[in-house]
Amino acid sequence: MHASQRLVPFLLVLLVLGLPCRATASEDTKPGSANLIGVAKIDITPDTPIRMYGYAARKTESAGVAGRLSAKALAISSNDGQGLAVLLCVDCGAVPNHIREAVYQRVSQETPIAAERFVLGNSHCHSGPDLDAIDSTEGEQHQHLARYAGQLTDRLVQVVEQAIANRQPARLEMARGSVGFAANRRVLTDGNWSGFGAVLDAPAERELAVLKVVGEDGKILALLANYACHNTTLRGDFQQIHGDWAGCAQQCIEADHPGTISLITIGCGADSDPYPHGTVELCERHGRALADEVHRLLAGPWTPITPTISAQRRTLEIPWRENPDLDAAREAARSSYAVSAALKKLDHGTAPTEPYPYEIVTWTFADELAMVFLSHEVVVDYALRLKN
């Protein structure tokens, strides 16, 4: 079983789409005009050994810290009166929905935020903590995870509240570039999946979309970069906490531009791995490549984005297919966690009957920019189809 095939509940991925401007903006909401935007960051590195995310063969806790983890929050007050919107980016293997909900409820007690305007994006880092494992661990591993879950919740509340408090007049701008280290990992034999590897001529989304927050004095307050690639440069034999390429990219961008906070979201990259992979040095190389592209883009041009956000949330009810042939299912379960889990339910007579709920959130900025947040691990085909 390959743990990287696991569906990760409540992992949100971001796809940024540029849409043609069809409407004339009013004077107070014209593209590039200022509204209140705040950003903040906080360290979320575990202070004890902790069970790490991903890779089924890795059963022990972490053995030290090779790279710090962080959480960043971006708070945007929309000029159209629809209220505050918050994007929370977290360097972690998995952040369960109950933690996201606890953070949202605590923040909303002080600053009301509509549910569709509060999004937690998880970096899906395979060398970060595995909070999904709380219920399946025992003893000291369970204690460490439970303690970290409480600490993380407190720190996420703190960073969101700080971003809200930091709001100041600022404008949004966007640019697009490209980074080449994402490689499709679906190896096909006679048209069928046969394992993982780097398939360099297969579909991958290598576009880098960057949203820039600029203060009234021209200072860059934040750079939000979206790239569709797994945070799996470090493999299952790596036993230390590290933010992988996304963590390195944030550090490089912030070092290149002191005073700027860098946020990274991952797009539809469930079937894309960093290439090459295997070492911390390669994490740093990939992060440096992304930071260099951000730096190149800063020379311009940049497209002003109207500071109005229309947010929507919809839950799709996806029906289950008829039960498969059990012999075929057992064969498929050898290489698929999802099939293995479904087969266990079938064997115990508890096959799901209710439709599966799938949540989608969209933020649109006038007719110029759309952010589409999709849960679970989403393959590149969705990004390509959305753009078409």
Side-chain angles (χ1 to χ4, degrees):
M1 180 186 78
H2 296 278
S4 52
Q5 287 182 282
R6 290 164 45 185
L7 290 179
V8 185
F10 319 114
L11 168 68
L12 294 174
V13 294
L14 170 64
L15 171 67
V16 183
L17 304 173
L19 304 179
C21 183
R22 296 184 295 275
T24 301
S26 64
E27 183 64 24
D28 61 342
T29 59
K30 63 184 179 181
S33 60
N35 58 335
L36 296 180
I37 304 175
V39 63
K41 66 178 180 179
I42 195 168
D43 190 283
I44 60 168
T45 310
D47 57 10
T48 66
I50 198 164
R51 183 71 175 267
M52 298 171 67
Y53 180 81
Y55 305 124
R58 189 168 56 192
K59 300 294 186 183
T60 59
E61 292 186 314
S62 57
V65 175
R68 309 296 294 181
L69 306 181
S70 64
K72 316 283 182 68
L74 181 67
I76 303 174
S77 296
S78 180
N79 279 351
D80 58 2
Q82 294 192 40
L84 183 67
V86 172
L87 174 61
L88 179 56
C89 300
V90 185
D91 291 341
C92 200
V95 180
N97 195 50
H98 67 83
I99 291 180
R100 179 262 180 206
E101 188 64 20
V103 174
Y104 169 68
Q105 292 297 336
R106 286 173 56 179
V107 172
S108 295
Q109 289 176 5
E110 299 295 328
T111 307
I113 305 173
E116 66 273 15
R117 301 173 79 86
F118 186 90
V119 171
L120 189 154
N122 180 19
S123 75
H124 190 46
C125 173
H126 280 47
S127 49
D130 185 6
L131 290 170
D132 269 351
I134 291 178
D135 293 336
S136 60
T137 54
E138 299 177 345
E140 195 172 61
Q141 287 196 10
H142 175 82
Q143 294 172 9
H144 287 167
L145 282 171
R147 178 173 175 268
Y148 180 72
Q151 292 176 335
L152 180 66
T153 302
D154 291 341
R155 291 175 187 176
L156 295 184
V157 171
Q158 182 179 341
V159 75
V160 172
E161 291 179 340
Q162 188 62 56
I164 294 172
N166 288 347
R167 282 175 295 169
Q168 59 180 284
R171 66 183 187 271
L172 298 174
E173 300 175 353
M174 192 183 73
R176 299 173 181 279
S178 179
V179 184
F181 64 80
N184 196 300
R185 63 180 189 170
R186 290 182 290 182
V187 177
L188 302 180
T189 302
D190 297 327
N192 296 313
W193 180 78
S194 57
F196 290 120
V199 187
L200 302 183
D201 59 348
E205 175 55 280
R206 298 186 178 92
E207 180 182 79
L208 180 70
V210 183
L211 193 66
K212 179 172 63 173
V213 181
V214 185
E216 283 191 317
D217 59 359
K219 179 182 177 181
I220 300 174
L221 303 177
L223 289 163
L224 167 64
N226 182 75
Y227 190 62
C229 186
H230 252 92
N231 267 296
T232 50
T233 312
L234 300 171
R235 315 306 277 185
D237 58 349
F238 191 78
Q239 300 291 331
Q240 294 178 287
I241 294 295
H242 193 277
D244 212 273
W245 67 260
C248 291
Q250 293 172 75
Q251 293 168 9
C252 288
I253 292 170
E254 292 178 358
D256 291 346
H257 309 283
T260 298
I261 292 180
S262 170
L263 303 90
I264 300 290
T265 55
I266 59 171
C268 300
D271 50 352
S272 294
D273 267 345
Y275 177 80
H277 55 247
T279 66
V280 170
E281 289 73 23
L282 288 171
C283 291
E284 295 169 348
R285 183 200 299 183
H286 299 325
R288 182 71 263 169
L290 192 148
D292 286 346
E293 180 67 352
V294 170
H295 183 74
R296 185 189 71 82
L297 290 172
L298 287 176
W302 287 77
T303 301
I305 300 298
T306 303
T308 60
I309 301 175
S310 176
Q312 297 186 49
R313 182 174 66 171
R314 178 174 297 179
T315 300
L316 305 181
E317 298 293 333
I318 303 176
W320 292 88
R321 297 180 62 181
E322 294 182 4
N323 291 346
D325 175 78
L326 289 181
D327 290 337
R330 290 190 177 94
E331 180 62 30
R334 296 176 181 272
S335 58
S336 171
Y337 175 86
V339 175
S340 176
L343 184 60
K344 289 179 181 178
K345 291 184 177 181
L346 287 172
D347 288 341
H348 289 86
T350 57
T353 57
E354 296 297 323
Y356 184 83
Y358 186 86
E359 184 176 293
I360 299 174
V361 173
T362 62
W363 290 0
T364 54
F365 297 70
D367 282 337
E368 301 146 8
L369 171 67
M371 293 182 177
V372 182
F373 299 91
L374 303 173
S375 54
H376 296 290
E377 296 191 41
V378 184
V379 295
V380 66
D381 308 80
Y382 286 88
L384 300 177
R385 292 183 65 180
L386 279 169
K387 288 190 173 186
N388 289 333

